[in-house]
C-alpha cells in the first residue's frame, strides 16, 4: 500500500493530475493468514528502537512524575506512609544483559562481563552492576525526604540478597526499610502470588502503602496499595 501511495504522488507531481496507477509489485502479493501473533523478530527490533530513541526514558519519567505528585500530596496525611518498589526494570536497569541475551532471560549459565557473550541472569545479578533507573531513584529520594518508609519486593531469590543490597546501595537506594526476596525452595505461580501477601503484611504492621511501583502488571496485582504505578517494560513479561 505504501508503494502505491508513493507512486500516485509521483505521478501527480510529474503529470499534474494524470490518473495513472502504478503496477502492483509482485513481491507484495502474499498468501498468508491473519491469525498469527506478532513476529518476535519484529518485536525485538521495535523494543530496541523504543529504548534507543529516548521514548523509553520519556515514558519512565511520565509515570515517575505521576508517582511523585501523588506521594507529595498524600505523605503528610497517611498513617505511617509507605512506598513499595520492585527491583528489576523498576529500581535497577538490566539493559546491558537484555542486549547481551537478545531479549532472552536464561537463568543458569556463566557471565563474563568483559566478553561480548550471552549471560546467565543469576550470574549477572550476582555481579551487582545494574545502574539505577533515574526516575525511580527520584521517586525514592522524594519519598525518603517526606518520611515515607520504602520497602522493596523482588522476585530475585534469597541467595542474591548480598549482591542485590550492594547493588541498590551503589545505585543510590540507601535508607530503605526492608528488601524482600523469594525464600529458598519457595515456588509461586505468579509474582502477584508472592508479592501481594507481603504487602498485606506491611499493612498489618501498621503502614499505609500509599504507592506501589513496578514494571510488570503482576508486581501490582492483588491489592494492598492506594495507588499503583506501572512503568513501561516491553522487554519481557513476568506472569
Amino acid at each position: 500500500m505504501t508503494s502505491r501511495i508513493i507512486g500516485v504522488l509521483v505521478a501527480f507531481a510529474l503529470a499534474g493530475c494524470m490518473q495513472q496507477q502504478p503496477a502492483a509489485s509482485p513481491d507484495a502479493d502474499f498468501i498468508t493468514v491473519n491469525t498469527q501473533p506478532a513476529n518476535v523478530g519484529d518485536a525485538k527490533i521495535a523494543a530496541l528502537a523504543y529504548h534507543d530513541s529516548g521514548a523509553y526514558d520519556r515514558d519512565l519519567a511520565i509515570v515517575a512524575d505521576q508517582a511523585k505528585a501523588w506521594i507529595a500530596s498524600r505523605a503528610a496525611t497517611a498513617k505511617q506512609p509507605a512506598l513499595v518498589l520492585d527491583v528489576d526494570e523498576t529500581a535497577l536497569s538490566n539493559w546491558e544483559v537484555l542486549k547481551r541475551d537478545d531479549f532472552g532471560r536464561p537463568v543458569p549459565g556463566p557471565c563474563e562481563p568483559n566478553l561480548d557473550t550471552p549471560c546467565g541472569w543469576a550470574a549477572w545479578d550476582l555481579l551487582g552492576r545494574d545502574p539505577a533507573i533515574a526516575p525511580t531513584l527520584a521517586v525514592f529520594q522524594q519519598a525518603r525526604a517526606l518520611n515515607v518508609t520504602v520497602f522493596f519486593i523482588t522476585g530475585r531469590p534469597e541467595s542474591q540478597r548480598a549482591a542485590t543490597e550492594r547493588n541498590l546501595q551503589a545505585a543510590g537506594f540507601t535508607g530503605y526499610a526492608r528488601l524482600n526476596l523469594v525464600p529458598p525452595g519457595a515456588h509461586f505461580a505468579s509474582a502477584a502470588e508472592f508479592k501481594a501477601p507481603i504487602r498485606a503484611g506491611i499493612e498489618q504492621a501498621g503502614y499505609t502503602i500509599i504507592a506501589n511501583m513496578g514494571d510488570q502488571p503482576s508486581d501490582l496485582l492483588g491489592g494492598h496499595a492506594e495507588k499503583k504505578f506501572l512503568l513501561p517494560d516491553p522487554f519481557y513479561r513476568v506472569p
Side-chain angles (χ1 to χ4, degrees):
M1 181 61 71
T2 301
S3 61
R4 286 181 179 273
I5 294 172
I6 293 173
V8 170
L9 291 175
V10 171
F12 270 96
L14 295 178
C17 295
M18 180 176 67
Q19 296 183 357
Q20 177 181 348
Q21 296 293 333
S25 169
D27 290 336
D29 295 333
F30 299 116
I31 298 175
T32 186
V33 294
N34 296 322
T35 56
Q36 65 177 333
N39 183 274
V40 173
D42 292 342
K44 289 193 291 186
I45 293 171
L48 182 64
Y50 175 65
H51 180 276
D52 291 351
S53 69
Y56 174 57
D57 289 337
R58 178 201 65 213
D59 291 348
L60 286 171
I62 289 172
V63 178
D65 286 347
Q66 293 171 344
K68 287 169 63 179
W70 166 249
I71 292 169
S73 69
R74 183 70 176 109
T77 57
K79 178 185 177 182
Q80 289 188 255
L83 165 66
V84 170
L85 294 173
D86 172 53
V87 173
D88 294 298
E89 273 53 69
T90 297
L92 301 177
S93 171
N94 291 281
W95 181 247
E96 183 179 346
V97 73
L98 282 166
K99 287 185 67 178
R100 279 174 172 264
D101 291 344
D102 194 29
F103 297 102
R105 296 193 72 199
V107 175
C111 184
E112 297 292 341
N114 296 325
L115 301 178
D116 186 17
T117 57
C119 275
W121 271 62
W124 172 262
D125 289 340
L126 291 175
L127 295 175
R129 56 185 285 167
D130 288 334
I133 291 182
T136 303
L137 181 58
V139 173
F140 174 89
Q141 291 170 334
Q142 181 206 48
R144 294 301 301 124
L146 295 172
N147 295 316
V148 175
T149 304
V150 180
F151 297 88
F152 284 99
I153 309 177
T154 175
R156 292 187 180 193
E158 181 66 35
S159 60
Q160 295 181 5
R161 174 174 295 278
T164 303
E165 288 179 339
R166 184 176 68 251
N167 198 161
L168 286 169
Q169 182 172 357
F173 294 95
T174 58
Y176 58 87
R178 188 167 70 241
L179 170 65
N180 298 273
L181 301 102
V182 177
H187 299 282
F188 299 93
S190 69
E193 185 178 292
F194 165 61
K195 295 188 174 189
I198 294 177
R199 294 196 302 273
I202 293 171
E203 289 182 334
Q204 290 169 6
Y207 292 94
T208 302
I209 300 175
I210 61 175
N212 179 19
M213 178 180 286
D215 66 295
Q216 302 288 324
S218 55
D219 293 330
L220 311 178
L221 297 176
H224 304 290
E226 290 185 345
K227 294 281 187 180
K228 298 174 288 186
F229 298 90
L230 181 63
L231 293 169
D233 182 0
F235 313 126
Y236 58 84
R237 177 66 71 226
V238 176

